[in-house]
């Protein structure tokens, strides 16, 4: 006998072709009805709320009186919730975001009742290879998906790169395979149940259990469901249709299987034979991907780790500017960010209003992250011993990565006079500067009473987070001119403050004074850029500011025009003319101690490794083509017309730390598609592209900041980087792994519902190698890339910058069968406007991991905090957590969910077992190894002499370590 498990459910897109609030009103109606149905009809046994708990919160904000009703049904098992907070797109959010998602879902489930213990992710557009290990980290033993698979059978093992595996319940016929069951007609209902049963049994490893998913997008359960089920008794050839849950189905089918005989699949799932993969969402509305990447970086690399460390390091009482218990606030920031992570949101495949509302969430996450990061870095800098002979201030540089590296960093220095920057050994460090001057912060006219009310808010010479350095008081008749100079980094000048207090109090009490004209200005500030060398991993390094003596020679300031002409001035006139007229190269180049970069006449770059002499030609070449697809899929028009950019202007800037080459290019771009959408319009617009190419002394990387001013529609713009060698595969920064994918697409035919595309997802980088040379392209928030073989037979990396389309879904292009959503116009997806992109070229003959480290370093650059001269609990430089070896890459440092200690998490990026050592800056007596849910799995014993913690990490294994006192 076959048990036919009918699972009543809804798939809830929180925002999509309607806004969040519009869909929420439908959600209220749906949940109201489900609660009534569960209470009125005991034969309607179960309902599943789509595996995501946020729907409970969205509903209860409108119906708070129904919380206990929901809790009752969850605890009885009739209402299935969790395990997720939201259903994300797995490739477009960070791996840490996926973990925080499950942590938040767990927290909500704990509030209401038992969690559905199935990794239900029905609709995301493909699945990351490490998801089995992540699910196992939350004691979830089963995955249940629809997309990304092909002709596999309904049951198999899904294995992560580390060997972790979960049982896969493949929704082969879809998460809504039984949505159309005609419950009002017993005869038709029974016939359709038979058809669905037979379809699945032909592809099952057992004939004991079949899954019928009775629901689909925003579907409410038919109230006659139980009656229809009862009507099938004795009409299913001896089989039984039961109202069931997804968990019960999984238990049933696993019990019926001889598990050792079912197949195993390993790694990511990105097949599009049976279900649309919709890969064009990787580049739709690219600004969303960039904003999300920035917010994740600010939370994961800065706000979380450094607020946690500040709470551990900074002694009580906490400074006035340091927020106590920031972890709970950062959890709220994560919740805001995760509201942008559902697949219809982060993928950019919704109506314009939905994505406009996402901007505010991103803004709020950035505001919280920036404020907490700023407080934390300033407080940590205040705990560093910065004492040095004749120093007037210090700059403390912080490194968010688990490996030491060198990088350009900016800092604001308050100084009205010339100064030098010194390292810990007292050596002068070159820097470039630009004056920011003094800012006027307050300019107001006040009565004595008004000034007194403001004056009482100033405590110990501090006001609005700044400290008073000087007070100038001048009386003219019945008017007093009061000017205060304030600093963001220096401690208050106590003598100046006390003297000013006495004068102000006397004048407030003087009846002859009628008006105070109050002005507050900041100390004269300069922004400096310098190369911070080998800043310790997850650590800090201190530099000092010392006033330059009068007799010392100040650096020569070269005017911009002279700086531009300086390279030419060193050449004979004939040689200058020869360069000027060469057809293959323009006379513009920059260099550091490792690399030389020249601009070619077509605007692309030639990059030379000065150590080996190896060169790459044609980097940073822009290529534009048409797009007749929609928000889900890129599709070139049948008669495409490709255009390339040409160089219009170049300028140079050479400094002691960095050299920059700014290239202005013009890209002729057809205005849109033709009316029939088969080719591109004859009308051409000029797309202006500006690339600022920068080399930093000591950094083996070419950093590029590109601005594109787009006026055209229906097109795709990519930037290309050819390698000087052939390769058969690309290596892609992924989710807790580096993924290798073969170049090209798999063999396919007309039966596929969607043609496979060569564009693939990436996170921090894409890399190609022939075993000797290596080219790595790093980027910030640009998740779509293609590795191809060019006309020279060499590998080439193409990174998508813009994909501009005007429809949510269409069904009139060749590479996808049918619609993927409603046929609605989305003018915002045409990306009209000015857009900025950051990426880096890493030409390396070195081992792969250092090249990857450069990519991760580019993803989250160093930060600096200026502080005063003081004693401190921390030495001038060090690591908060030193990590060895470099193959173990940290992904998180955060407060524990139960607030008992803090944890570090990392992954072994190599494919072999390694011995890892973590050395905190101080010893902790209690060290635990936990799973991803932060539950203890083992006790570790730190070394007595230095507190170092050692453990074994299998190849590709994610490891979480909890430290406590």
């Amino acid at each position: 006998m076959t048990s036919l498990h009918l699972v009543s459910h809804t798939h809830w897109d929180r925002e999509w072709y309607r806004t969040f609030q519009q869909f929420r009103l439908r959600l209220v109606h749906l949940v109201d009805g489900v609660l009534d149905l569960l209470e009125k009809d005991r034969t309607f046994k179960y309902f599943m709320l789509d595996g995501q708990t946020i729907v409970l919160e969205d509903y209860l904000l409108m119906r708070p009186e129904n919380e206990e009703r929901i809790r009752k049904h969850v605890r009885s098992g009739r209402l299935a919730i969790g395990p997720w907070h939201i259903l994300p797109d797995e490739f477009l959010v960070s791996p840490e975001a996926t973990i925080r998602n499950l942590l938040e879902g767990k927290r909500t489930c704990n509030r209401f009742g038992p969690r559905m213990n199935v990794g239900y992710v029905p609709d995301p557009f493909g699945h990351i290879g490490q998801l089995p290990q992540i699910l196992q980290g939350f004691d979830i033993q089963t995955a249940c998906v629809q997309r990304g698979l092909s002709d596999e059978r309904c049951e198999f093992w899904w294995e992560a790169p580390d060997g972790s595996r979960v049982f896969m319940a493949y929704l082969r016929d879809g998460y809504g395979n039984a949505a159309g069951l005609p419950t009002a007609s017993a005869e038709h209902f029974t016939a359709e149940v038979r058809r669905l049963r037979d379809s699945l049994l032909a592809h099952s490893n057992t004939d004991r259990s079949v899954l019928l998913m009775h629901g689909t997008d925003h579907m409410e359960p038919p109230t006659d469901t139980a009656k229809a089920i009862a009507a099938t008794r004795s009409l299913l050839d001896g089989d039984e249709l039961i109202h069931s849950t997804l968990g019960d189905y999984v238990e049933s089918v696993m019990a019926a299987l001889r598990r050792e005989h079912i197949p195993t699949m390993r790694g990511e799932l990105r097949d599009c034979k049976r279900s649309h993969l919709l890969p064009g969402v990787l580049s739709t509305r690219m600004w969303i991907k960039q904003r999300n990447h920035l917010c994740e970086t600010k939370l994961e690399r800065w706000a979380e780790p450094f607020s946690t460390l500040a709470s551990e390091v900074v002694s009580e009482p906490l400074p006035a500017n340091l927020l106590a218990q920031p972890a709970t606030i950062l959890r709220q920031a994560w919740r805001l960010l995760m509201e942008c992570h559902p697949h219809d949101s982060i993928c950019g495949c919704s109506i314009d209003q939905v994505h406009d509302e996402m901007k505010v969430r991103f803004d709020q996450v950035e505001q919280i992250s920036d404020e907490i990061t700023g407080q934390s870095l300033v407080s940590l800098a205040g705990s560093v011993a910065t004492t040095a002979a004749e120093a007037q201030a210090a700059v403390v540089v912080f490194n968010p990565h688990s490996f030491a590296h060198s990088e350009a960093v900016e800092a604001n220095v308050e100084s009205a006079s010339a100064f030098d920057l010194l390292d810990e050994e007292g050596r002068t460090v070159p820097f470039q500067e630009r004056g920011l001057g003094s800012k006027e912060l307050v300019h107001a006219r006040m009565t004595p009473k008004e000034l007194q009310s403001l004056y009482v808010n100033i405590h110990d010479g501090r006001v609005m987070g700044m400290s008073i350095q000087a007070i100038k008081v001048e009386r003219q008749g019945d008017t007093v001119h009061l000017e205060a100079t304030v600093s963001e980094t220096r401690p208050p000048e106590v003598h100046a403050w006390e003297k000013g207090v006495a004068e102000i109090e006397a004048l407030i009490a003087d009846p002859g004074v009628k008006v105070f004209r109050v002005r507050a200005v900041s100390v004269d500030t300069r922004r400096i850029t310098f190369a911070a060398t080998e800043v310790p991993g997850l650590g800090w390094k201190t530099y000092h500011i010392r006033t330059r003596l009068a007799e010392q020679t100040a650096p020569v300031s070269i005017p911009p025009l002279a700086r531009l002409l300086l390279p030419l001035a060193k050449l004979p006139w004939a040689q200058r003319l020869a360069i000027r007229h060469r057809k293959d190269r323009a006379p513009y180049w920059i260099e550091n101690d490792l690399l030389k970069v020249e601009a070619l006449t077509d605007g692309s770059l030639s990059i030379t490794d000065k150590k080996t002499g190896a060169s790459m030609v044609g980097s940073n070449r822009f290529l534009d083509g048409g797009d007749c697809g929609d928000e889900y899929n890129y599709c070139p028009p049948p008669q495409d017309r490709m255009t390339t950019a040409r160089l219009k202007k170049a300028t140079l800037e050479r400094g002691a730390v960095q050299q920059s080459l700014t290239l202005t290019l013009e890209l002729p771009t057809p205005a849109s598609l033709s009316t029939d959408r088969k080719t591109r319009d004859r009308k051409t617009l000029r797309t202006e592209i500006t690339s600022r190419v920068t080399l930093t002394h000591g950094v083996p990387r070419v950093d590029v900041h590109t601005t594109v001013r787009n006026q055209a529609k229906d097109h795709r713009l990519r930037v290309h980087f050819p390698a000087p060698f052939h390769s058969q595969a690309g290596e892609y920064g992924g989710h807790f792994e580096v993924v290798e994918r073969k170049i090209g697409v798999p063999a396919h035919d007309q039966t596929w519902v969607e043609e496979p595309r060569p564009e693939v997802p990436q996170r921090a980088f894409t890399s190609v190698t022939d075993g000797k040379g290596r080219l790595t392209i790093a980027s910030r928030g640009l998740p779509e890339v293609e590795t191809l073989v060019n006309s020279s037979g060499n590998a080439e990396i193409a990174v998508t910058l813009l994909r501009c389309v005007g429809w949510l879904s269409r069904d009139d292009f060749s590479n996808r069968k049918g619609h993927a959503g409603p046929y609605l116009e989305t003018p915002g997806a045409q990306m009209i406007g000015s857009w900025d992109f950051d990426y880096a070229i890493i030409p390396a003959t070195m081992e792969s991991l250092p090249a990857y480290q450069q990519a991760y370093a580019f993803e989250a650059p160093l930060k600096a905090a200026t502080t005063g001269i003081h004693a401190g609990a921390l030495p001038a430089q060090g690591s908060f957590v030193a990590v060895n070896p470099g193959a173990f890459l940290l992904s998180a440092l955060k407060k524990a969910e139960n607030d008992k200690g803090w944890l570090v998490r990392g992954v072994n990026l190599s494919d072999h077992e390694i011995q890892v050592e973590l050395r905190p800056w101080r010893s902790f007596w209690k060290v635990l190894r936990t799973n991803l849910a932060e539950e203890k799995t083992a006790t570790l014993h730190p070394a007595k002499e230095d507190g170092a913690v050692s453990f074994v990490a299998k190849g590709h294994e994610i490891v979480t370590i909890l430290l406590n006192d």
Side-chain angles (χ1 to χ4, degrees), residues 157-309:
W157 293 113
W158 183 21
E159 189 172 276
D162 76 314
S164 301
R165 66 179 189 173
V166 293
F167 178 77
M168 172 65 81
Y170 173 24
L171 300 170
R172 196 177 190 279
D173 288 350
Y175 62 79
N177 68 322
L181 284 174
T183 54
S185 170
E187 180 182 352
H188 292 158
F189 182 87
T190 303
E192 186 64 7
V193 167
R194 285 198 195 99
R195 185 188 67 80
L196 296 172
R197 173 199 63 189
D198 294 344
S199 173
L200 290 173
L201 281 177
H203 303 282
S204 176
N205 290 293
T206 175
D207 60 359
R208 300 290 298 277
S209 296
V210 165
L211 178 62
L212 305 182
M213 297 294 287
H214 192 209
T216 188
D217 301 357
H218 310 110
M219 178 175 161
E220 300 182 21
T223 56
D224 55 359
T225 298
K227 181 180 177 182
I229 293 172
T232 66
R233 289 184 188 136
S234 74
L235 299 177
L236 293 173
D237 313 315
D239 295 337
E240 181 184 15
L241 179 66
I242 58 174
H243 204 202
S244 187
T245 67
L246 193 57
D248 286 347
Y249 162 74
V250 169
E251 287 186 14
S252 172
V253 75
M254 289 186 73
L257 285 169
R258 296 183 63 185
R259 302 182 198 177
E260 66 273 14
H261 291 159
I262 64 174
T264 298
M265 287 195 67
R266 196 169 194 264
E268 64 183 11
L269 308 178
R270 297 192 66 254
D271 201 295
C272 58
K273 181 177 181 178
R274 291 184 57 81
S275 293
H276 298 143
L277 193 64
L278 310 174
V281 299
L282 294 172
S283 51
T284 304
R285 302 184 195 255
M286 190 65 83
W287 69 266
I288 295 176
K289 285 67 170 173
Q290 293 174 288
R291 289 294 304 276
N292 179 67
H293 174 270
L294 181 62
C295 288
E296 288 175 338
T297 300
K298 288 186 173 187
L299 283 172
E300 296 169 20
R301 295 297 182 190
W302 291 107
E304 274 190 338
F306 287 95
S307 65
T308 300
L309 293 166

Side-chain angles (χ1 to χ4, degrees), residues 65 244 280 404 412 630 703:
E65 68 275 12
S244 187
N412 289 344
D630 56 19
D703 294 349

Side-chain angles (χ1 to χ4, degrees), residues 858-892:
F858 176 78
E859 189 179 32
L862 306 173
K863 289 183 183 290
T866 308
T867 188
I869 301 302
H870 45 65
L874 298 175
Q877 74 172 32
S879 288
F880 293 109
V881 181
V883 181
N884 188 54
F888 190 79
L889 192 77
L890 290 194
S891 65

Side-chain angles (χ1 to χ4, degrees), residues 317-323 375 462:
L318 297 178
N321 66 335
L322 183 62
L323 186 69
Q375 293 176 6
R462 296 183 183 274

Side-chain angles (χ1 to χ4, degrees), residues 109-124:
C109 288
N110 288 341
R111 170 183 164 193
F112 287 95
R115 174 188 74 178
M116 182 177 75
N117 211 29
V118 178
Y120 181 66
V121 277
D123 204 27

Side-chain angles (χ1 to χ4, degrees), residues 464-475:
M464 296 185 296
M466 293 177 285
S467 60
I468 293 174
Q469 301 296 296
I471 298 178
K472 181 181 178 182
V473 181
E474 182 179 336
R475 178 172 180 173

